[in-house]
Amino acid sequence: MIAAKSPCHNSNAASQNAYTGESLTQTLASTSKGIATAASILAKGELVAFPTETVYGLGGDARSDIAVARIFEAKARPHFNPLIVHVPDLNAAHEIAVLDEVAERVASAFWPGPLTLVLPLRQDAGLSALVTADLPSVAIRIPEHPVAQALLRAFGGPVAAPSANPSGKVSPTRPEHVLAGLSGRIAAIVDGGPCAVGVESTILGLTGEPVLLRPGGIPAEALEACLGCVLGNGGNAQKPSAPGQLASHYAPGATVRLNVLVPEEGEFWLGFGPEAEAADLNLSPAGDLVEAAANLFHYLRRADSRSGTTIAVSPIPERGLGRAINDRLRRAAAPRPE
Ligand code: TXA
Ligand code: MG
């Protein structure tokens, strides 16, 4: 008899309980060995929760469409909100975003620390379009927590990390909070004990006039003192901005028609699943919603550039990541102001 094989080739990745078939979430110590294991899990496109000084983050490789799609899936987020990208230092931030003189001043005053800056995205940043929700800007943070620092350095790439809780639930400030919400849904957690700050980072928008996008770990007054101005409030302070609410968000030039089983003559068919075998592009021929989410923004752009008329999209099931995909597609299909 052949022994049952582990579904993973490496013990570092998410493994399954041989008896129940449930995925297991490894708890890793915040030692150099645990951090090296966490980095190798990230390198495989799997998810690792890790401590920062604000809250625990749910980390994935910010350059990998599949890893970022898995973040949305694990959190069961119904929208593709843009995520914060974590890097270890200013050099790494420069590889992703453009920092002007004001940004440099704020960065040198508050980084590393509980501050996130929304900055113009560099063309050659190499990030997944899902991380930025396809915006021309990116939210960057350099956390101060030694475990976050060590993990970012060991991994050697940018890490997308929203708070490590299911969508709509309170942010986790202890490892047990993370496990209560996400156990079995993520490969591992690095145990770094309780978080010192306990609220998320302050988000400062620096793509135009400075705006406070979210109050958080750094008081607005401290930022105002550094900037020498009173901060405008970006509105919607607690509620994360959904990408479609941001004015600069990309919308296809072509008309988009949803829930199409059989496209009309001349339409560009953006398919999903095996039924859409004849589609011009198929978000996931196997009908896998994680794969479809990972392909969504690229394929919308490709469909847009190749289509003179209408993009006809197959029905996407309204479950799991399908809810976020449909939310984005409905925005793309909605009538747009001139
Ligand atoms: O403390 C924190 O900031 C935690 C820890 C884990 O670092 N992270 C966190 O990440 O709260 P996240 O991904 O949940 O924060 C995302 C929020 C979005 O909801 C949005 O408000 C803002 O960051 N954001 C991200 N990218 C943006 C962009 N390009 N333009 C405007 N806002 C953006
Ligand atoms: Mg959150």
Side-chain angles (χ1 to χ4, degrees), residues 141-210:
R141 176 168 175 226
I142 301 179
E144 188 170 28
H145 197 293
V147 174
Q149 276 284 331
L151 178 59
L152 292 169
R153 286 178 199 282
F155 175 57
V159 172
S163 52
N165 53 278
S167 185
K169 297 283 192 303
V170 178
S171 292
T173 53
R174 289 169 179 266
E176 55 269 32
H177 300 166
V178 177
L179 290 169
L182 296 176
S183 186
R185 302 182 67 89
I186 61 176
I189 174 172
V190 184
D191 184 344
C195 303
V197 176
V199 293
E200 284 96 341
S201 60
T202 302
I203 305 183
L204 180 66
L206 288 179
T207 53
E209 281 298 297

Coordinates of all heavy atoms in Angstrom, one line a residue, residues 141-210:
R141 N 4.6 51.1 4.0 CA 4.9 51.2 5.4 C 6.2 50.5 5.7 O 6.5 49.4 5.2 CB 3.8 50.6 6.3 CG 4.1 50.6 7.7 CD 2.9 50.3 8.6 NE 3.4 50.2 9.9 CZ 3.2 49.3 10.8 NH1 2.3 48.3 10.6 NH2 3.8 49.3 12.0
I142 N 7.0 51.1 6.6 CA 8.3 50.5 7.1 C 8.0 50.3 8.6 O 8.0 51.2 9.4 CB 9.5 51.4 7.0 CG1 9.7 51.7 5.5 CG2 10.7 50.7 7.6 CD1 11.0 52.6 5.2
P143 N 7.6 49.0 9.0 CA 7.3 48.8 10.4 C 8.6 48.7 11.3 O 9.7 48.4 10.7 CB 6.7 47.4 10.4 CG 7.1 46.7 9.2 CD 7.5 47.8 8.2
E144 N 8.4 49.0 12.5 CA 9.6 49.1 13.4 C 9.8 47.8 14.2 O 10.9 47.5 14.6 CB 9.4 50.2 14.4 CG 10.6 50.5 15.3 CD 10.4 51.7 16.1 OE1 9.3 52.1 16.4 OE2 11.5 52.4 16.4
H145 N 8.8 47.0 14.3 CA 8.8 45.7 15.1 C 10.0 44.9 14.7 O 10.1 44.6 13.5 CB 7.5 45.0 15.0 CG 7.3 43.9 16.0 ND1 8.1 42.8 16.1 CD2 6.4 43.9 17.0 CE1 7.6 42.1 17.1 NE2 6.6 42.7 17.7
P146 N 10.8 44.4 15.6 CA 12.0 43.7 15.2 C 11.7 42.4 14.4 O 12.5 42.0 13.5 CB 12.8 43.3 16.5 CG 11.8 43.7 17.6 CD 10.8 44.7 17.0
V147 N 10.6 41.7 14.8 CA 10.2 40.5 14.0 C 9.8 40.8 12.6 O 10.2 40.2 11.6 CB 9.1 39.7 14.8 CG1 8.7 38.5 14.0 CG2 9.6 39.3 16.2
A148 N 9.0 41.9 12.4 CA 8.6 42.3 11.1 C 9.8 42.7 10.3 O 10.0 42.3 9.1 CB 7.6 43.5 11.2
Q149 N 10.7 43.5 10.9 CA 12.0 43.9 10.2 C 12.8 42.6 9.8 O 13.2 42.5 8.6 CB 12.8 44.7 11.2 CG 12.5 46.2 11.2 CD 13.0 46.9 10.0 OE1 14.0 46.5 9.4 NE2 12.2 47.9 9.5
A150 N 12.9 41.7 10.7 CA 13.7 40.5 10.4 C 13.1 39.7 9.3 O 13.8 39.2 8.4 CB 13.9 39.6 11.6
L151 N 11.7 39.6 9.3 CA 11.0 38.8 8.3 C 11.2 39.5 6.9 O 11.4 38.8 5.9 CB 9.6 38.6 8.7 CG 8.7 37.9 7.6 CD1 9.2 36.5 7.4 CD2 7.2 37.8 8.1
L152 N 11.0 40.8 6.9 CA 11.1 41.5 5.6 C 12.5 41.4 5.0 O 12.7 41.2 3.8 CB 10.8 43.0 5.8 CG 9.3 43.3 6.1 CD1 9.1 44.7 6.5 CD2 8.4 42.9 4.9
R153 N 13.5 41.4 5.9 CA 14.9 41.3 5.4 C 15.2 39.8 4.9 O 15.8 39.6 3.9 CB 15.9 41.7 6.5 CG 15.9 43.2 6.6 CD 16.9 43.7 7.7 NE 16.5 45.1 8.1 CZ 16.8 46.1 7.3 NH1 17.5 46.0 6.2 NH2 16.4 47.3 7.7
A154 N 14.7 38.9 5.7 CA 14.9 37.5 5.3 C 14.2 37.1 4.0 O 14.7 36.4 3.1 CB 14.4 36.5 6.4
F155 N 13.0 37.7 3.8 CA 12.2 37.4 2.6 C 12.9 38.2 1.4 O 12.9 37.7 0.3 CB 10.8 37.8 2.8 CG 9.9 37.7 1.5 CD1 9.8 36.5 0.9 CD2 9.3 38.8 1.0 CE1 9.1 36.4 -0.3 CE2 8.5 38.7 -0.1 CZ 8.4 37.5 -0.8
G156 N 13.3 39.4 1.6 CA 14.0 40.2 0.6 C 13.1 40.8 -0.5 O 13.5 41.1 -1.6
G157 N 11.8 40.9 -0.2 CA 10.9 41.5 -1.2 C 9.7 42.2 -0.5 O 9.6 42.0 0.8
P158 N 8.9 43.0 -1.2 CA 7.8 43.7 -0.6 C 6.7 42.7 -0.1 O 6.4 41.8 -0.8 CB 7.3 44.6 -1.7 CG 7.7 43.9 -2.9 CD 9.0 43.2 -2.6
V159 N 6.1 43.0 1.1 CA 5.1 42.1 1.6 C 3.8 42.9 1.8 O 3.7 43.9 2.5 CB 5.5 41.5 3.0 CG1 4.4 40.8 3.7 CG2 6.7 40.6 2.8
A160 N 2.7 42.4 1.1 CA 1.4 43.0 1.3 C 0.8 42.5 2.6 O 0.9 41.3 2.8 CB 0.5 42.7 0.1
A161 N 0.3 43.4 3.4 CA -0.2 42.9 4.7 C -1.3 43.7 5.2 O -1.1 44.8 5.8 CB 0.9 42.7 5.7
P162 N -2.6 43.3 5.1 CA -3.7 43.9 5.8 C -3.7 43.3 7.2 O -2.9 42.4 7.5 CB -4.9 43.5 5.0 CG -4.6 42.2 4.4 CD -3.1 42.2 4.2
S163 N -4.5 43.8 8.1 CA -4.6 43.2 9.4 C -5.1 41.8 9.3 O -5.9 41.4 8.4 CB -5.6 44.0 10.3 OG -6.8 44.2 9.6
A164 N -4.5 40.9 10.2 CA -4.7 39.5 10.0 C -6.0 39.0 10.7 O -6.0 38.2 11.6 CB -3.5 38.7 10.6
N165 N -7.1 39.5 10.2 CA -8.5 39.1 10.8 C -9.4 38.9 9.6 O -9.2 39.5 8.5 CB -9.0 40.2 11.7 CG -9.0 41.6 11.0 OD1 -8.0 42.2 10.9 ND2 -10.1 42.0 10.4
P166 N -10.4 38.1 9.8 CA -11.5 38.0 8.8 C -12.1 39.4 8.5 O -12.2 40.2 9.5 CB -12.5 37.0 9.3 CG -11.8 36.3 10.4 CD -10.8 37.2 11.0
S167 N -12.5 39.6 7.3 CA -13.1 40.9 6.9 C -14.3 41.2 7.9 O -15.1 40.4 8.2 CB -13.7 40.8 5.5 OG -14.2 42.0 5.1
G168 N -14.3 42.5 8.3 CA -15.4 42.9 9.2 C -15.2 42.6 10.7 O -16.0 43.0 11.5
K169 N -14.1 41.9 11.0 CA -13.8 41.6 12.4 C -12.7 42.6 13.0 O -12.1 43.3 12.2 CB -13.4 40.2 12.6 CG -14.4 39.2 12.2 CD -15.5 39.1 13.2 CE -16.5 37.9 13.1 NZ -17.2 37.8 11.9
V170 N -12.6 42.6 14.3 CA -11.6 43.5 14.9 C -10.2 43.1 14.6 O -9.9 41.9 14.5 CB -11.9 43.4 16.4 CG1 -10.9 44.3 17.2 CG2 -13.3 43.9 16.7
S171 N -9.3 44.0 14.5 CA -7.9 43.7 14.2 C -7.2 43.0 15.3 O -7.5 43.3 16.5 CB -7.1 45.0 13.9 OG -7.6 45.6 12.7
P172 N -6.3 42.0 15.0 CA -5.7 41.2 16.0 C -4.4 41.8 16.6 O -3.6 42.3 15.8 CB -5.3 39.9 15.3 CG -5.1 40.4 13.9 CD -6.0 41.6 13.6
T173 N -4.3 41.9 17.9 CA -3.1 42.4 18.5 C -2.3 41.3 19.3 O -1.3 41.6 19.9 CB -3.5 43.6 19.5 OG1 -4.5 43.1 20.4 CG2 -4.0 44.7 18.7
R174 N -2.8 40.1 19.2 CA -2.1 39.0 19.8 C -2.2 37.8 18.9 O -3.2 37.6 18.2 CB -2.8 38.6 21.2 CG -2.6 39.6 22.3 CD -3.4 39.3 23.5 NE -3.2 40.3 24.5 CZ -2.3 40.2 25.5 NH1 -1.6 39.0 25.6 NH2 -2.1 41.2 26.3
P175 N -1.3 36.8 19.0 CA -1.3 35.7 18.1 C -2.6 34.9 18.2 O -3.1 34.4 17.2 CB -0.1 34.9 18.5 CG 0.5 35.5 19.7 CD 0.0 36.9 19.8
E176 N -3.1 34.8 19.4 CA -4.3 34.0 19.6 C -5.5 34.6 18.9 O -6.4 33.9 18.5 CB -4.6 33.7 21.1 CG -4.7 34.9 22.0 CD -3.4 35.3 22.6 OE1 -2.3 35.1 22.0 OE2 -3.4 35.8 23.8
H177 N -5.5 35.9 18.8 CA -6.6 36.6 18.0 C -6.5 36.2 16.5 O -7.5 35.9 15.9 CB -6.4 38.1 18.0 CG -6.5 38.7 19.4 ND1 -6.1 40.0 19.6 CD2 -6.9 38.2 20.6 CE1 -6.3 40.3 20.9 NE2 -6.7 39.2 21.5
V178 N -5.3 36.1 16.0 CA -5.1 35.7 14.6 C -5.6 34.3 14.4 O -6.4 34.0 13.5 CB -3.6 35.8 14.2 CG1 -3.4 35.3 12.8 CG2 -3.1 37.2 14.4
L179 N -5.2 33.4 15.3 CA -5.6 32.0 15.1 C -7.1 31.8 15.3 O -7.7 31.0 14.6 CB -4.8 31.1 16.1 CG -3.3 31.0 15.8 CD1 -2.5 30.4 16.9 CD2 -3.1 30.2 14.5
A180 N -7.7 32.6 16.2 CA -9.2 32.5 16.4 C -9.9 32.8 15.1 O -10.9 32.1 14.8 CB -9.6 33.4 17.5
G181 N -9.4 33.7 14.3 CA -10.1 34.1 13.0 C -9.6 33.3 11.8 O -10.4 33.1 10.9
L182 N -8.3 33.0 11.7 CA -7.7 32.5 10.5 C -7.1 31.1 10.5 O -6.5 30.7 9.5 CB -6.7 33.5 10.0 CG -7.2 34.9 9.6 CD1 -6.1 35.8 9.2 CD2 -8.3 34.8 8.5
S183 N -7.2 30.5 11.7 CA -6.5 29.1 11.8 C -7.1 28.2 10.7 O -8.3 28.2 10.4 CB -6.8 28.5 13.1 OG -6.1 27.3 13.3
G184 N -6.2 27.5 10.0 CA -6.6 26.6 8.9 C -6.7 27.3 7.6 O -6.8 26.7 6.5
R185 N -6.7 28.7 7.6 CA -6.8 29.4 6.3 C -5.5 30.0 5.9 O -5.4 30.5 4.7 CB -7.8 30.6 6.5 CG -9.2 30.1 7.0 CD -10.2 31.3 7.1 NE -10.5 31.9 5.8 CZ -11.4 31.5 5.0 NH1 -12.2 30.5 5.4 NH2 -11.6 32.1 3.8
I186 N -4.5 30.0 6.7 CA -3.2 30.5 6.4 C -2.1 29.5 6.7 O -2.3 28.6 7.6 CB -2.9 31.9 7.1 CG1 -2.9 31.7 8.6 CG2 -4.0 32.9 6.6 CD1 -2.6 33.0 9.3
A187 N -0.9 29.6 6.1 CA 0.1 28.6 6.3 C 0.7 28.7 7.7 O 1.0 27.7 8.3 CB 1.2 28.7 5.2
A188 N 1.0 29.9 8.1 CA 1.7 30.0 9.4 C 1.5 31.4 10.0 O 1.0 32.3 9.4 CB 3.2 29.8 9.1
I189 N 1.9 31.4 11.3 CA 1.9 32.7 12.0 C 3.3 32.7 12.8 O 3.7 31.7 13.3 CB 0.7 32.8 13.0 CG1 0.9 34.1 13.9 CG2 0.5 31.6 13.9 CD1 -0.3 34.5 14.7
V190 N 3.9 33.9 12.8 CA 5.1 34.0 13.6 C 4.6 34.7 14.9 O 4.0 35.7 14.9 CB 6.1 35.0 13.0 CG1 7.4 35.0 13.9 CG2 6.5 34.5 11.6
D191 N 4.9 34.0 16.0 CA 4.4 34.4 17.4 C 5.4 35.5 17.9 O 6.5 35.2 18.2 CB 4.4 33.2 18.3 CG 3.8 33.6 19.7 OD1 3.7 34.8 20.0 OD2 3.4 32.7 20.4
G192 N 4.9 36.7 18.0 CA 5.7 37.8 18.5 C 5.1 38.4 19.7 O 5.4 39.5 20.1
G193 N 4.2 37.7 20.4 CA 3.5 38.2 21.6 C 2.6 39.4 21.2 O 2.2 39.6 20.1
P194 N 2.2 40.2 22.2 CA 1.2 41.2 22.0 C 1.9 42.4 21.2 O 3.1 42.6 21.3 CB 0.8 41.7 23.4 CG 1.7 41.0 24.3 CD 2.5 40.0 23.6
C195 N 1.0 43.2 20.5 CA 1.5 44.4 19.8 C 1.5 45.6 20.7 O 0.5 45.7 21.4 CB 0.6 44.6 18.6 SG 0.5 43.3 17.4
A196 N 2.5 46.4 20.6 CA 2.6 47.5 21.5 C 1.6 48.6 21.3 O 1.0 49.2 22.2 CB 4.0 48.1 21.5
V197 N 1.4 49.0 20.0 CA 0.6 50.2 19.6 C -0.9 49.8 19.7 O -1.7 50.5 20.3 CB 1.0 50.8 18.3 CG1 0.1 51.9 17.9 CG2 2.4 51.2 18.3
G198 N -1.2 48.7 19.0 CA -2.6 48.2 19.2 C -3.6 48.8 18.2 O -4.8 48.3 18.2
V199 N -3.3 49.9 17.6 CA -4.2 50.4 16.5 C -3.4 50.4 15.2 O -2.2 50.5 15.3 CB -4.8 51.8 16.8 CG1 -5.8 51.7 17.9 CG2 -3.7 52.8 17.0
E200 N -4.1 50.4 14.1 CA -3.4 50.4 12.8 C -2.6 51.7 12.6 O -2.8 52.7 13.3 CB -4.4 50.3 11.6 CG -4.9 48.9 11.5 CD -6.2 48.7 12.1 OE1 -6.6 49.5 13.0 OE2 -6.9 47.7 11.8
S201 N -1.7 51.6 11.6 CA -0.9 52.8 11.3 C -1.8 54.0 10.8 O -2.8 53.8 10.2 CB 0.1 52.4 10.2 OG -0.6 52.0 9.0
T202 N -1.3 55.2 11.0 CA -1.8 56.4 10.4 C -1.5 56.3 8.9 O -0.4 56.0 8.5 CB -1.2 57.6 11.0 OG1 -1.4 57.6 12.4 CG2 -1.8 58.9 10.5
I203 N -2.5 56.7 8.1 CA -2.3 56.7 6.6 C -2.3 58.1 6.1 O -3.3 58.8 6.3 CB -3.3 55.8 5.8 CG1 -3.3 54.4 6.3 CG2 -2.9 55.9 4.3 CD1 -4.2 53.5 5.6
L204 N -1.2 58.6 5.6 CA -1.0 59.9 5.1 C -1.0 59.9 3.5 O -0.1 59.2 3.0 CB 0.2 60.6 5.6 CG 0.6 62.0 5.2 CD1 -0.5 63.0 5.7 CD2 2.0 62.4 5.7
G205 N -1.9 60.5 2.9 CA -1.9 60.6 1.4 C -0.9 61.7 0.9 O -1.1 62.8 1.3
L206 N 0.1 61.3 0.1 CA 1.0 62.3 -0.4 C 1.1 62.2 -1.9 O 2.2 62.4 -2.5 CB 2.4 62.0 0.2 CG 2.6 62.4 1.7 CD1 4.0 62.1 2.2 CD2 2.2 63.9 1.9
T207 N 0.0 62.0 -2.6 CA 0.0 62.1 -4.0 C -0.4 63.5 -4.5 O -0.3 63.7 -5.7 CB -1.0 61.0 -4.6 OG1 -2.3 61.2 -4.1 CG2 -0.5 59.6 -4.4
G208 N -0.8 64.3 -3.6 CA -1.1 65.7 -4.0 C -0.9 66.5 -2.7 O 0.0 66.2 -2.0
E209 N -1.9 67.4 -2.4 CA -1.8 68.0 -1.1 C -1.9 67.0 0.0 O -2.7 66.0 -0.1 CB -3.0 69.0 -0.9 CG -2.9 70.3 -1.6 CD -1.8 71.1 -1.1 OE1 -1.8 71.5 0.1 OE2 -0.8 71.4 -1.8
P210 N -1.1 67.1 1.1 CA -1.2 66.0 2.1 C -2.6 65.9 2.7 O -3.2 66.9 3.0 CB -0.2 66.5 3.2 CG 0.7 67.5 2.5 CD -0.1 68.1 1.4

